[in-house]
Amino acid sequence: MEMLTYMRQFVEVAKVKSFRAAALTLDMPISTLSRHISDLEKAIGLRLLNRSTRRVELTDAGTVYFQRCQSIVAEAMIAHEALRDVAHRPTGTLRVSMPVDLAIGHFGPILRDFSKAYPLIDFDLDLTPRRIDLQTEAFDLAIRIGPPPVASATLIARPIVELPRYLYAAPLYLKGAPSLKHAKDLAHHVFCTVPSSSQQGDLKVFYRGDETVEIKVPTRFTVNSVGMARVLATMGMGIAIMHAELARDEVALGRLHRVLPEWSMAPLQVHVITATRLLPARARLFIDFLKERMAEPL
C-alpha cells in the first residue's frame, strides 16, 4: 500500500513537474512529498527526477516509470472507487472538457438533471477551446464536435449524437437581401461561418432529400464560435449555419428565421473521448445519461 501511495505521489509530481504544485494537489507538506519520492528512488535503485531550484525534470528512467505508473495508479483508484460505489452512491468530481457553444446549446438542462440524480457528484467543466491531454491532465472525459480522433492506442471515441445543421438569418438581413428560393441562390448571399476541417475554404455542400448542391458561398465573417456567428446573424450581418437547439431562443423571439427549411448541411458528429475504457462510475453514468438525453428530439 505504501508503494502504491508513493507511486501516486510520483505521478502527480511528474505531471506538473513541480513539488510545490503536487504537494498542493495532494494536500501534504512539500518536505514529506520530497522524502517519499527519495524513498521511492532508493527502493527502485534509480534516480527518477532531476531536481533544481527552478524546475523538476524526468530522467530517462523516470519517463519509463511514469508511463507505467500512470495506468497502474489510475486503475487502482478506479478499483477503489468502484468498491466504494457498491456500498454508496457515486461520488467525486466529474471533470469534463467540452466546447463552449455545445455547452450553452445543450448541456445546461442535462447537467441540471444529472446533478439532481447524483447529488454527491461535483463538477469541474473546462469550456476553453484548447486541446487537452487526457493522458496527463486530470479529466474524466472530453466532448468533441467533428470526426473522431485518428486511431489511437490510448484514446477511445464513443459516438453520442449527430446534430443536423440548418440556415438562419435575421428579418433585417432578409429584407434587403437577394431572392432566396433555392440553395443555388446562396452564392449571392453573405455568410457568418465557422471553419470546417472537412471542407476547404467557402465551399459548402447542401442537401434536400436526394438532391445535393455544392456552392462556394461568400463568407465575410469567419469565426471559431457558432455562438458568435449566431450573434452576427441576429444583427443582420449575414446567414449563419447552426444546429436547431442553438438557434431555438432567437427563432422563438423572432430575431432569426430558418431559411430554405427543406435544405440542410451534413450533421455534426459529437463524440465522448476518454483515455481508457476503465472509467470511474461517475464518468460511466454521465456518458450513459448523455447518450440518452442527446438522442431525444429537439
Side-chain angles (χ1 to χ4, degrees), residues 206-268:
F206 299 92
Y207 302 91
R208 181 175 64 178
D210 296 332
E211 185 178 0
T212 300
V213 174
E214 191 174 89
I215 306 168
K216 186 175 177 61
V217 300
T219 299
R220 188 177 184 190
F221 301 96
T222 301
V223 296
N224 66 348
S225 165
V226 182
M228 187 61 194
R230 178 189 60 190
V231 170
L232 292 172
T234 303
M235 296 170 64
M237 306 301 288
I239 297 173
I241 301 166
M242 68 190 88
H243 54 89
E245 187 68 9
L246 196 61
R248 182 184 59 182
D249 291 344
E250 301 298 341
V251 170
L253 292 170
R255 295 173 182 167
L256 286 179
H257 291 167
R258 183 170 158 186
V259 298
L260 297 177
E262 296 179 353
W263 291 87
S264 64
M265 291 188 67
L268 290 171

Side-chain angles (χ1 to χ4, degrees), residues 64-110:
V64 174
Y65 194 64
F66 174 56
Q67 292 171 347
R68 296 298 301 273
C69 282
Q70 271 191 298
S71 58
I72 293 171
V73 170
E75 290 188 20
M77 293 181 69
I78 290 170
H80 176 77
E81 184 177 276
L83 287 176
R84 184 175 59 188
D85 289 342
V86 171
H88 306 284
R89 302 182 70 179
T91 63
T93 299
L94 180 69
R95 294 179 173 87
V96 181
S97 169
M98 71 178 82
V100 63
D101 292 325
L102 189 64
I104 292 172
H106 284 275
F107 279 81
I110 292 174

Side-chain angles (χ1 to χ4, degrees), residues 49-288:
L49 300 170
N50 287 323
R51 304 162 174 81
S52 70
T53 55
R54 289 183 162 234
R55 58 188 300 129
V56 175
E57 295 290 346
L58 287 166
T59 64
D60 290 343
T63 299
V64 174
Y65 194 64
F66 174 56
Q67 292 171 347
R68 296 298 301 273
C69 282
Q70 271 191 298
S71 58
I72 293 171
V73 170
E75 290 188 20
M77 293 181 69
I78 290 170
H80 176 77
E81 184 177 276
L83 287 176
R84 184 175 59 188
D85 289 342
V86 171
H88 306 284
R89 302 182 70 179
T91 63
T93 299
L94 180 69
R95 294 179 173 87
V96 181
S97 169
M98 71 178 82
V100 63
D101 292 325
L102 189 64
I104 292 172
H106 284 275
F107 279 81
I110 292 174
L111 285 172
R112 176 198 62 203
D113 295 343
F114 184 79
S115 66
K116 286 181 179 179
Y118 302 99
L120 300 182
I121 296 178
D122 296 325
F123 301 86
D124 184 353
L125 308 179
D126 184 323
L127 305 184
T128 61
R130 71 184 182 91
R131 289 180 176 272
I132 65 166
D133 187 342
L134 287 165
Q135 291 295 319
T136 60
E137 298 186 62
F139 285 95
D140 292 307
L141 55 97
I143 300 170
R144 292 291 178 258
I145 298 176
V150 294
S152 169
T154 57
L155 295 178
I156 304 299
R158 297 170 171 84
I160 295 297
V161 73
E162 290 189 341
L163 299 175
R165 291 181 293 169
Y166 305 110
L167 298 154
Y168 295 91
L172 177 64
Y173 172 81
L174 294 171
K175 184 177 180 180
S179 175
L180 190 54
K181 299 183 181 300
H182 189 277
K184 293 179 181 179
D185 298 330
L186 293 169
H188 308 294
H189 286 257
V190 176
F191 275 73
C192 312
T193 65
V194 176
S196 170
S197 59
S198 61
Q199 296 182 6
Q200 298 181 351
D202 296 329
L203 193 65
K204 306 293 182 187
V205 181
F206 299 92
Y207 302 91
R208 181 175 64 178
D210 296 332
E211 185 178 0
T212 300
V213 174
E214 191 174 89
I215 306 168
K216 186 175 177 61
V217 300
T219 299
R220 188 177 184 190
F221 301 96
T222 301
V223 296
N224 66 348
S225 165
V226 182
M228 187 61 194
R230 178 189 60 190
V231 170
L232 292 172
T234 303
M235 296 170 64
M237 306 301 288
I239 297 173
I241 301 166
M242 68 190 88
H243 54 89
E245 187 68 9
L246 196 61
R248 182 184 59 182
D249 291 344
E250 301 298 341
V251 170
L253 292 170
R255 295 173 182 167
L256 286 179
H257 291 167
R258 183 170 158 186
V259 298
L260 297 177
E262 296 179 353
W263 291 87
S264 64
M265 291 188 67
L268 290 171
Q269 298 175 310
V270 180
H271 292 84
V272 167
I273 314 297
T274 62
T276 173
R277 291 188 184 275
L278 188 59
L279 297 173
R282 61 179 179 271
R284 296 195 306 272
L285 289 167
F286 184 69
I287 292 171
D288 291 342

Side-chain angles (χ1 to χ4, degrees), residues 7-22:
M7 288 169 65
R8 179 183 175 228
Q9 293 168 359
F10 165 72
V11 165
E12 193 60 42
V13 174
K15 283 198 298 187
V16 298
K17 292 183 170 57
S18 165
F19 276 91
R20 181 181 297 276

